């Protein structure tokens, strides 16, 4: 069992947990992910590491409730244990001094860019972070990002906080203003990463994305996570999760992300029916 | 005292058929197909054994079982004795009794094979192991404990488990590191429930743990800990992490939604128990018409699993002819009984999909057999302009595996060949680094459970020799 040491609700849908996993914490690097199972009958889900504490042997995960497993995970409390927790998986982010870099984060992707931004800053980069959400209430980890960035820009779709608009609008302006920027990381929902790559395409900048494919083992054994990169089939779990976003076949990637949608909906609906967390049905 | 049956009478008897679940019934469930011998059937079959003075069956057994001796114990109705006899050398009898290709091993060398009715050695082995499990008969624990000599084993498949058990019996302290959340390797993720019930794997792993072997799950060697780090802590290492990376055809359309590697398809169904979705959380998508590419045992497992999960049609697509099919005859027979349709001399060249990424068909070429190739089998050659489309909505690639480099990358000094498999001394199973041994699929490529068992045994012997002569990685 892997104990939940600390749990925090970051907003209505997003949770943060620190999990006791000393072996993983001792070697994990920014950009890598873990795979967890809540219980023996559970599924294996990959989550990018949001932070780690080597001294205390802890790994931080940040997740959004999007289905049965994530909702069930959100109901666990401090002191509860996870059935399985493996990692660190995937390749680490290539950290070096690039000069000025931009990190773009959306949704739980904000958590994923956190350790990357920190490492980039420690490596001497000028780190500009742009984080966005639909509105102020949905924004997460502002303080943490501020600490690890040279500059933090916030956008909200409705203008309730920071600049009104999308992260890509800010990104475009920054790239137009400063042509010395050579590297951008964009992590968030698939559509946001795709649009970010469209934004950066005209500029002489490399755009790294972190793909969140559906996986089973996460060690290169099954190929569930395969994706076409520059015309070649790659495994996100062992060749990634980070890739040059301009080479990703986004249509294929997004199709494969929803290939179990029907089953996932069914499983979530049954969970709601059976669990006591939702009392809306059948009560008149 | 056992009844002595005259040799003439023994020779007259036919092999006792294995009771099986009816095909039409079993395609709707995941329960085991062969049901196992009763005591009477086992004794009757065992009585057929001629108890040869120089038994040739044993040379076909990588697990080194004294076959005539355990069969004689069955004749004497001493099932416990038979079990303990098998357990002297085979640590996974209920498993090997089920999944060994006996017709290629022990039974091939049985003198009665000449009359086409060899002793059903595998069925007898299975009977004995099942009897022992039901009657709670256990092997003896080693009283000899060798302190201060630790062995790490990477991978808990048949090679790792066997090596661990053999070393534990000699008194060594053994720790197995398993990447997945359950021990057993291919026995739990690959082989379907209807051929090898997972409760049996769990039981035999427990028996090995009871010998003192420690099994640590959820540790990916090469990620959480390197082989180099293990070498600093353990006196010897056995690498048995399996081949483990799926091969694809590399044809257009292979990344469509409903294309699976056999590894993914079987892992979802077997390890994650997707066949029991939504009780288990892992989903699996099943089409109405499933095409499995390849004709090995894994292909048979995939095609038969697809049927059980609800596919109306399940095809095996194979580029050679029936004669070249590499799967066990028994597996092919079971698949045919269950209604799997074989399309021979057919080569897929493109998977066709709709705009949502769903599979709607597969374009293939007709093949014909030409001159023998380097494998000695006649080479399949495409017939020009023979393109045709087979209507399917899911595809499973079961064309083999290649080496997963994750462990090797963390093992300096341990050399691979050009395909990524570890280079070893065939006799001792030692790699190019003294004190590190390797066996199973990560050495030989996709092979059988029993060849992995054989590797595990040989490695255990070499490791014991290495350690007892003062060897240690820590030196």
């Amino acid at each position: 069992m892997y104990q939940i040491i600390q749990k925090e609700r970051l907003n209505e849908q997003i949770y943060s947990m620190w999990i006791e996993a000393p072996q993983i914490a001792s070697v994990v690097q920014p950009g890598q992910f873990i795979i967890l199972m809540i219980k023996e009958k559970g599924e294996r889900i990959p989550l990018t590491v949001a932070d780690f504490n080597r001294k205390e042997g802890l790994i931080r995960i940040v997740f959004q409730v999007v289905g049965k497993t994530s909702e069930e995970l959100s109901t666990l409390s401090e002191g509860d244990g996870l059935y399985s927790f493996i990692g660190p998986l995937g390749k680490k982010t290539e950290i070096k001094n690039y000069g000025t870099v931009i990190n773009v984060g959306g949704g739980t992707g904000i958590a994923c860019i956190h350790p990357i931004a920190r490492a980039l800053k420690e490596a001497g980069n000028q780190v500009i972070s742009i984080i966005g959400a639909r509105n102020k209430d949905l924004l997460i980890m502002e303080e943490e990002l501020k600490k690890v960035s040279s500059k933090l820009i916030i956008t909200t779709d409705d203008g309730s906080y920071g600049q009104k608009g999308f992260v890509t609008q800010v990104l475009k302006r920054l790239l137009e203003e400063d042509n010395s920027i050579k590297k951008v990381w964009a992590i968030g929902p698939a559509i946001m990463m795709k649009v970010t790559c469209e934004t950066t395409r005209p500029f002489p900048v490399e755009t790294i994305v972190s793909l969140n494919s559906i996986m089973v083992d996460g060690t290169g054994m099954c190929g569930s996570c395969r994706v076409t990169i520059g015309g070649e089939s790659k495994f996100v779990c062992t060749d990634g999760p980070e890739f040059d976003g301009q080479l990703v076949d986004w249509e294929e990637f997004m199709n494969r992300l929803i290939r179990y949608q029907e089953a996932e909906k069914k499983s979530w609906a049954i969970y709601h029916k059976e669990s006591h967390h939702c009392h809306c049905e059948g009560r008149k | 005292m056992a009844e002595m049956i005259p040799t003439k009478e023994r020779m007259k008897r036919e092999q006792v058929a294995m009771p099986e679940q009816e095909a039409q019934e079993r395609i709707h469930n995941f329960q085991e197909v062969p049901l196992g011998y009763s005591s009477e059937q086992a004794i009757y079959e065992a009585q057929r054994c001629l108890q040869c003075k120089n038994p040739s069956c044993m040379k076909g057994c990588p697990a080194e079982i004294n076959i005539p001796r355990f069969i004689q114990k069955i004749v004497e109705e001493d099932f416990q004795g038979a079990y303990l006899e098998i357990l002297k050398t085979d640590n996974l009898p209920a498993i090997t009794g089920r999944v060994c290709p006996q017709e290629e091993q022990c039974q091939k060398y049985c003198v009665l094979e000449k009359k086409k009715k060899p002793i059903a050695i595998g069925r007898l082995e299975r009977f004995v192991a099942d009897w022992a499990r039901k009657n709670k008969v256990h092997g003896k624990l080693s009283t000899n404990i060798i302190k201060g000599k630790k062995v790490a084993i990477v991978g808990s498949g048949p090679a790792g488990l066997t090596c661990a058990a053999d070393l534990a019996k000699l008194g060594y302290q053994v720790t197995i590191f398993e990447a997945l959340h359950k021990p057993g390797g291919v026995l739990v993720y690959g082989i379907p429930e209807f051929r090898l019930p997972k409760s049996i794997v769990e039981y035999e792993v427990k028996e090995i743990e009871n010998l003192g072997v420690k099994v640590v799950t959820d540790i990916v060697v090469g990620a959480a800990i390197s082989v180099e780090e293990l070498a600093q802590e353990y006196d010897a290492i056995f690498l048995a992490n399996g081949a483990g990376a799926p091969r694809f055809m590399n044809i257009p359309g292979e990344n469509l939604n409903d294309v699976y590697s056999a590894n993914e398809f079987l892992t979802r169904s077997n390890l994650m128990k997707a066949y029991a979705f939504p009780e288990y959380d892992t989903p699996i998508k099943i089409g109405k018409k499933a095409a499995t590419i390849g004709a090995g045992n894994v292909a048979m497992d995939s095609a038969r699993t697809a049927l059980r999960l609800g596919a109306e049609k399940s095809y095996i697509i194979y580029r050679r002819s029936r004669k070249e099919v590499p799967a066990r005859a028994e597996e092919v027979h079971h698949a045919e009984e269950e209604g799997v349709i074989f399309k021979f001399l057919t080569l897929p060249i493109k998977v066709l999909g709709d705009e949502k990424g769903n599979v709607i068909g597969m374009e293939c070429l007709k093949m014909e057999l030409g001159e023998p190739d380097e494998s000695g089998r006649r080479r399949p050659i495409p017939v020009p302009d023979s393109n045709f489309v087979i209507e399917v909505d899911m595809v499973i690639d079961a064309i083999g595996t290649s080496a997963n480099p994750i462990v090797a990358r963390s093992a300096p000094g341990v050399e691979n060949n050009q395909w990524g498999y570890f280079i070893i001394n065939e006799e001792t199973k030692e790699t190019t680094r003294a004190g590190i041994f390797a066996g199973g699929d990560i050495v030989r490529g996709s092979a059988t459970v029993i060849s992995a068992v054989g590797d595990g045994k040989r490695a255990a012997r070499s490791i014991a020799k290495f350690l007892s002569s003062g060897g240690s990685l820590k030196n």
Side-chain angles (χ1 to χ4, degrees), chain B residues 296-348:
Chain B
N297 289 324
V298 173
M300 300 306 140
D301 286 346
S302 302
R304 297 172 69 195
T305 297
L307 274 183
R308 283 163 173 75
L309 287 170
E312 288 160 16
K313 284 212 166 105
S314 183
Y315 298 102
I316 288 276
I317 312 283
Y318 185 47
R319 64 193 178 120
R320 298 177 193 257
S321 74
R322 177 179 288 271
K323 221 181 117 202
E324 288 83 22
V325 166
R328 281 183 77 183
E330 184 185 312
E331 301 308 321
V332 177
H333 171 68
H334 278 150
E336 283 186 318
E337 266 187 348
E338 291 168 10
V340 171
I341 303 159
F342 286 73
K343 298 250 179 209
F344 295 110
L345 294 167
T346 303
L347 178 74

Coordinates of all heavy atoms in Angstrom, one line a residue, chain B residues 296-348:
Chain B
G296 N 0.6 -18.2 -34.1 CA 1.3 -18.9 -33.0 C 0.3 -19.1 -31.8 O -0.9 -18.8 -32.0
N297 N 0.8 -19.5 -30.7 CA -0.1 -19.8 -29.6 C -0.7 -18.5 -29.1 O -1.9 -18.5 -28.7 CB 0.7 -20.4 -28.4 CG 1.1 -21.8 -28.7 OD1 0.3 -22.6 -29.4 ND2 2.3 -22.2 -28.3
V298 N 0.0 -17.4 -29.1 CA -0.6 -16.1 -28.7 C -1.7 -15.7 -29.6 O -2.7 -15.1 -29.2 CB 0.5 -15.0 -28.6 CG1 0.0 -13.6 -28.4 CG2 1.6 -15.4 -27.6
A299 N -1.6 -16.0 -30.9 CA -2.6 -15.6 -31.8 C -3.9 -16.5 -31.5 O -5.0 -15.9 -31.5 CB -2.2 -15.9 -33.3
M300 N -3.7 -17.8 -31.2 CA -4.8 -18.6 -30.8 C -5.5 -18.1 -29.6 O -6.7 -18.0 -29.5 CB -4.4 -20.1 -30.6 CG -3.7 -20.8 -31.8 SD -4.7 -20.7 -33.3 CE -3.5 -20.4 -34.5
D301 N -4.7 -17.7 -28.6 CA -5.2 -17.1 -27.4 C -6.1 -15.9 -27.7 O -7.1 -15.7 -27.1 CB -4.1 -16.8 -26.4 CG -3.5 -18.0 -25.7 OD1 -4.1 -19.1 -25.8 OD2 -2.4 -17.9 -25.1
S302 N -5.5 -15.0 -28.5 CA -6.2 -13.8 -28.8 C -7.5 -14.0 -29.6 O -8.6 -13.5 -29.2 CB -5.3 -12.9 -29.7 OG -4.1 -12.7 -29.1
A303 N -7.5 -14.9 -30.6 CA -8.7 -15.2 -31.4 C -9.8 -15.8 -30.5 O -11.0 -15.5 -30.6 CB -8.4 -16.1 -32.6
R304 N -9.4 -16.7 -29.6 CA -10.3 -17.4 -28.8 C -10.9 -16.4 -27.7 O -12.0 -16.5 -27.3 CB -9.7 -18.6 -28.1 CG -9.3 -19.7 -29.2 CD -8.5 -20.8 -28.5 NE -9.3 -21.6 -27.6 CZ -8.7 -22.5 -26.8 NH1 -7.4 -22.5 -26.6 NH2 -9.5 -23.2 -26.0
T305 N -10.0 -15.5 -27.2 CA -10.5 -14.5 -26.2 C -11.5 -13.6 -26.9 O -12.5 -13.3 -26.3 CB -9.3 -13.7 -25.7 OG1 -8.4 -14.6 -25.0 CG2 -9.7 -12.6 -24.7
A306 N -11.2 -13.2 -28.1 CA -12.2 -12.3 -28.8 C -13.6 -12.9 -28.9 O -14.6 -12.3 -28.7 CB -11.6 -12.0 -30.2
L307 N -13.6 -14.2 -29.2 CA -14.9 -14.9 -29.3 C -15.6 -14.9 -28.0 O -16.8 -14.6 -27.9 CB -14.7 -16.4 -29.6 CG -14.6 -16.8 -31.1 CD1 -14.4 -18.3 -31.1 CD2 -15.8 -16.4 -31.9
R308 N -14.9 -15.1 -26.9 CA -15.5 -15.2 -25.6 C -16.0 -13.8 -25.1 O -16.9 -13.6 -24.3 CB -14.5 -15.7 -24.6 CG -14.4 -17.2 -24.6 CD -13.1 -17.7 -23.9 NE -13.0 -19.2 -23.8 CZ -12.7 -20.0 -24.9 NH1 -12.5 -19.4 -26.0 NH2 -12.7 -21.3 -24.7
L309 N -15.3 -12.7 -25.7 CA -15.7 -11.4 -25.3 C -16.9 -10.9 -26.2 O -17.3 -9.8 -26.0 CB -14.5 -10.4 -25.4 CG -13.4 -10.6 -24.3 CD1 -12.2 -9.8 -24.7 CD2 -14.0 -10.1 -23.0
G310 N -17.3 -11.7 -27.1 CA -18.5 -11.3 -27.8 C -18.3 -11.1 -29.3 O -19.3 -10.7 -30.0
A311 N -17.2 -11.3 -29.9 CA -17.0 -11.2 -31.3 C -17.9 -12.2 -32.0 O -17.8 -13.4 -31.6 CB -15.6 -11.3 -31.8
E312 N -18.6 -11.9 -33.1 CA -19.4 -12.9 -33.8 C -18.5 -13.7 -34.7 O -18.8 -14.9 -35.0 CB -20.5 -12.1 -34.6 CG -21.6 -11.6 -33.7 CD -22.4 -10.5 -34.3 OE1 -22.4 -10.4 -35.5 OE2 -23.1 -9.8 -33.5
K313 N -17.5 -13.0 -35.3 CA -16.6 -13.8 -36.1 C -15.2 -13.5 -35.7 O -14.8 -12.3 -35.4 CB -16.7 -13.3 -37.6 CG -18.0 -13.9 -38.3 CD -17.7 -14.1 -39.7 CE -18.8 -15.0 -40.4 NZ -19.7 -14.2 -41.2
S314 N -14.4 -14.5 -35.6 CA -13.0 -14.3 -35.2 C -12.1 -15.0 -36.2 O -12.2 -16.2 -36.4 CB -12.8 -14.9 -33.8 OG -11.5 -14.7 -33.3
Y315 N -11.3 -14.2 -36.9 CA -10.4 -14.8 -38.0 C -9.0 -14.9 -37.5 O -8.5 -14.0 -36.7 CB -10.4 -13.8 -39.2 CG -11.7 -13.6 -39.9 CD1 -12.4 -12.5 -39.6 CD2 -12.2 -14.6 -40.7 CE1 -13.7 -12.3 -40.3 CE2 -13.5 -14.4 -41.4 CZ -14.2 -13.2 -41.1 OH -15.3 -13.0 -41.8
I316 N -8.3 -15.9 -38.0 CA -6.8 -15.9 -37.9 C -6.3 -15.7 -39.3 O -6.7 -16.4 -40.2 CB -6.3 -17.3 -37.4 CG1 -6.7 -17.6 -36.0 CG2 -4.9 -17.5 -37.7 CD1 -5.6 -17.0 -35.0
I317 N -5.5 -14.6 -39.4 CA -4.9 -14.3 -40.7 C -3.5 -14.7 -40.7 O -2.7 -14.1 -39.9 CB -5.1 -12.7 -41.0 CG1 -6.5 -12.2 -40.6 CG2 -4.6 -12.4 -42.4 CD1 -7.5 -12.5 -41.7
Y318 N -3.1 -15.6 -41.6 CA -1.7 -16.1 -41.6 C -1.2 -16.1 -43.0 O -1.9 -16.6 -44.0 CB -1.7 -17.5 -41.0 CG -0.4 -18.1 -40.8 CD1 0.6 -17.4 -40.2 CD2 -0.2 -19.4 -41.2 CE1 1.9 -18.0 -40.1 CE2 1.1 -20.0 -41.0 CZ 2.1 -19.3 -40.4 OH 3.3 -19.9 -40.3
R319 N 0.0 -15.7 -43.2 CA 0.6 -15.5 -44.6 C 1.1 -16.8 -45.1 O 1.3 -16.9 -46.3 CB 1.7 -14.4 -44.6 CG 2.9 -14.8 -43.8 CD 3.8 -13.6 -43.6 NE 4.9 -14.0 -42.8 CZ 6.2 -14.0 -43.1 NH1 6.5 -13.5 -44.3 NH2 7.1 -14.4 -42.3
R320 N 1.3 -17.8 -44.3 CA 1.7 -19.1 -44.8 C 0.5 -20.1 -44.8 O -0.6 -19.6 -44.7 CB 2.8 -19.7 -43.9 CG 4.1 -18.8 -43.9 CD 5.1 -19.4 -43.0 NE 6.2 -18.4 -42.7 CZ 7.4 -18.5 -43.2 NH1 7.7 -19.4 -44.1 NH2 8.3 -17.6 -42.9
S321 N 0.8 -21.4 -45.0 CA -0.3 -22.3 -45.1 C -0.5 -23.1 -43.8 O 0.3 -22.9 -42.8 CB -0.1 -23.3 -46.2 OG 0.9 -24.2 -45.8
R322 N -1.5 -23.9 -43.7 CA -1.8 -24.6 -42.5 C -0.6 -25.4 -42.0 O -0.4 -25.5 -40.8 CB -3.0 -25.6 -42.8 CG -3.4 -26.5 -41.6 CD -4.5 -27.4 -41.9 NE -5.8 -26.6 -42.0 CZ -6.6 -26.4 -40.9 NH1 -6.3 -26.9 -39.8 NH2 -7.7 -25.8 -41.1
K323 N 0.2 -25.9 -42.9 CA 1.3 -26.8 -42.6 C 2.3 -26.1 -41.7 O 3.0 -26.6 -40.9 CB 1.9 -27.3 -43.9 CG 2.4 -28.7 -43.8 CD 3.0 -29.2 -45.1 CE 4.5 -29.5 -44.8 NZ 5.3 -29.5 -46.0
E324 N 2.4 -24.7 -41.9 CA 3.5 -24.0 -41.3 C 3.0 -23.4 -39.9 O 3.8 -22.7 -39.3 CB 4.0 -22.9 -42.2 CG 4.8 -23.3 -43.3 CD 4.0 -23.8 -44.5 OE1 2.8 -23.3 -44.6 OE2 4.5 -24.5 -45.4
V325 N 1.8 -23.5 -39.6 CA 1.2 -22.9 -38.4 C 2.1 -23.3 -37.2 O 2.3 -24.5 -36.9 CB -0.2 -23.4 -38.1 CG1 -0.7 -23.0 -36.7 CG2 -1.2 -22.7 -39.1
P326 N 2.6 -22.3 -36.5 CA 3.5 -22.6 -35.3 C 2.8 -22.9 -34.0 O 3.5 -23.5 -33.1 CB 4.4 -21.3 -35.2 CG 3.6 -20.2 -35.8 CD 2.6 -20.8 -36.8
A327 N 1.5 -22.7 -33.9 CA 0.8 -23.0 -32.6 C 0.8 -24.5 -32.4 O 0.9 -25.3 -33.3 CB -0.6 -22.4 -32.7
R328 N 0.6 -24.8 -31.1 CA 0.4 -26.2 -30.7 C -0.8 -26.8 -31.4 O -1.9 -26.1 -31.6 CB 0.1 -26.3 -29.2 CG 1.2 -26.2 -28.3 CD 0.8 -26.4 -26.9 NE 0.5 -27.8 -26.6 CZ 0.0 -28.2 -25.4 NH1 -0.3 -27.4 -24.5 NH2 -0.1 -29.5 -25.2
A329 N -0.8 -28.0 -31.8 CA -1.9 -28.7 -32.5 C -3.2 -28.6 -31.7 O -4.2 -28.3 -32.2 CB -1.6 -30.1 -32.8
E330 N -3.0 -28.8 -30.4 CA -4.1 -28.7 -29.4 C -4.8 -27.4 -29.4 O -6.0 -27.3 -29.4 CB -3.7 -29.1 -28.0 CG -4.8 -29.2 -27.0 CD -4.3 -29.4 -25.6 OE1 -3.5 -30.3 -25.4 OE2 -4.8 -28.7 -24.7
E331 N -4.0 -26.3 -29.5 CA -4.6 -24.9 -29.5 C -5.3 -24.7 -30.8 O -6.4 -24.1 -30.8 CB -3.5 -23.9 -29.4 CG -2.6 -24.0 -28.1 CD -3.5 -24.1 -26.9 OE1 -4.5 -23.4 -26.8 OE2 -3.1 -24.9 -26.0
V332 N -4.8 -25.1 -31.9 CA -5.4 -25.0 -33.2 C -6.7 -25.7 -33.2 O -7.8 -25.2 -33.6 CB -4.5 -25.4 -34.4 CG1 -5.2 -25.3 -35.7 CG2 -3.2 -24.7 -34.4
H333 N -6.7 -26.9 -32.7 CA -7.9 -27.8 -32.6 C -9.0 -27.1 -31.8 O -10.1 -27.0 -32.2 CB -7.5 -29.1 -32.0 CG -8.6 -30.0 -31.7 ND1 -9.4 -30.6 -32.7 CD2 -9.1 -30.4 -30.5 CE1 -10.3 -31.3 -32.0 NE2 -10.2 -31.2 -30.8
H334 N -8.6 -26.6 -30.6 CA -9.6 -25.9 -29.8 C -10.1 -24.7 -30.5 O -11.3 -24.4 -30.4 CB -8.9 -25.5 -28.5 CG -8.8 -26.6 -27.5 ND1 -7.8 -26.8 -26.5 CD2 -9.6 -27.7 -27.3 CE1 -8.0 -27.8 -25.8 NE2 -9.1 -28.5 -26.3
A335 N -9.3 -23.9 -31.1 CA -9.7 -22.7 -31.8 C -10.7 -23.1 -32.9 O -11.8 -22.5 -33.0 CB -8.5 -22.0 -32.4
E336 N -10.4 -24.1 -33.7 CA -11.3 -24.5 -34.8 C -12.7 -25.0 -34.2 O -13.7 -24.7 -34.7 CB -10.7 -25.6 -35.6 CG -9.7 -25.0 -36.6 CD -9.1 -25.9 -37.6 OE1 -8.8 -27.1 -37.2 OE2 -8.9 -25.5 -38.7
E337 N -12.6 -25.8 -33.1 CA -13.8 -26.3 -32.5 C -14.7 -25.2 -32.1 O -15.9 -25.3 -32.1 CB -13.4 -27.1 -31.2 CG -13.3 -28.5 -31.4 CD -13.1 -29.2 -30.0 OE1 -12.9 -28.5 -29.0 OE2 -13.2 -30.4 -29.9
E338 N -14.1 -24.1 -31.6 CA -14.8 -22.9 -31.1 C -15.3 -22.0 -32.2 O -16.0 -21.1 -32.0 CB -14.0 -22.1 -30.1 CG -13.7 -22.9 -28.9 CD -12.7 -22.3 -27.9 OE1 -12.2 -21.2 -28.2 OE2 -12.3 -23.0 -27.0
G339 N -14.9 -22.3 -33.5 CA -15.4 -21.5 -34.6 C -14.5 -20.5 -35.1 O -14.9 -19.6 -35.9
V340 N -13.3 -20.5 -34.7 CA -12.3 -19.5 -35.2 C -12.1 -19.8 -36.7 O -11.9 -21.0 -37.1 CB -11.0 -19.5 -34.5 CG1 -9.9 -18.7 -35.2 CG2 -11.2 -19.1 -33.0
I341 N -12.1 -18.8 -37.6 CA -12.0 -19.0 -39.0 C -10.5 -18.8 -39.4 O -10.0 -17.7 -39.2 CB -13.0 -18.1 -39.8 CG1 -14.4 -18.4 -39.3 CG2 -12.8 -18.3 -41.3 CD1 -15.3 -17.2 -39.6
F342 N -9.9 -19.7 -40.1 CA -8.5 -19.5 -40.5 C -8.5 -19.1 -41.9 O -9.0 -19.7 -42.8 CB -7.8 -20.9 -40.4 CG -7.4 -21.2 -38.9 CD1 -8.5 -21.6 -38.1 CD2 -6.2 -21.1 -38.4 CE1 -8.2 -21.9 -36.7 CE2 -5.9 -21.4 -37.1 CZ -6.9 -21.8 -36.3
K343 N -7.7 -18.0 -42.1 CA -7.5 -17.5 -43.5 C -6.0 -17.6 -43.8 O -5.2 -16.8 -43.3 CB -7.9 -16.0 -43.6 CG -9.4 -15.7 -43.3 CD -10.1 -15.3 -44.6 CE -11.5 -15.1 -44.4 NZ -12.3 -15.4 -45.6
F344 N -5.7 -18.7 -44.5 CA -4.3 -19.0 -44.8 C -3.8 -18.2 -46.0 O -4.6 -17.7 -46.8 CB -4.1 -20.5 -45.0 CG -4.3 -21.3 -43.7 CD1 -5.4 -22.1 -43.6 CD2 -3.5 -21.2 -42.6 CE1 -5.7 -22.8 -42.5 CE2 -3.7 -21.9 -41.5 CZ -4.8 -22.7 -41.4
L345 N -2.5 -18.1 -46.2 CA -1.9 -17.5 -47.4 C -2.5 -16.1 -47.7 O -2.9 -15.8 -48.8 CB -2.1 -18.4 -48.6 CG -1.3 -19.8 -48.5 CD1 -1.8 -20.8 -49.6 CD2 0.2 -19.5 -48.6
T346 N -2.6 -15.4 -46.6 CA -3.2 -14.0 -46.6 C -2.3 -13.1 -45.9 O -1.9 -13.3 -44.7 CB -4.6 -14.1 -46.0 OG1 -5.4 -15.1 -46.6 CG2 -5.3 -12.7 -46.0
L347 N -1.9 -12.0 -46.6 CA -1.0 -11.0 -46.0 C -1.7 -9.6 -45.9 O -2.1 -9.0 -46.9 CB 0.2 -10.8 -46.8 CG 1.2 -9.8 -46.3 CD1 2.0 -10.3 -45.1 CD2 2.2 -9.4 -47.4
P348 N -1.9 -9.1 -44.7 CA -2.5 -7.8 -44.5 C -1.6 -6.7 -45.0 O -0.4 -6.8 -44.7 CB -2.8 -7.7 -43.0 CG -2.6 -9.1 -42.4 CD -1.7 -9.8 -43.4

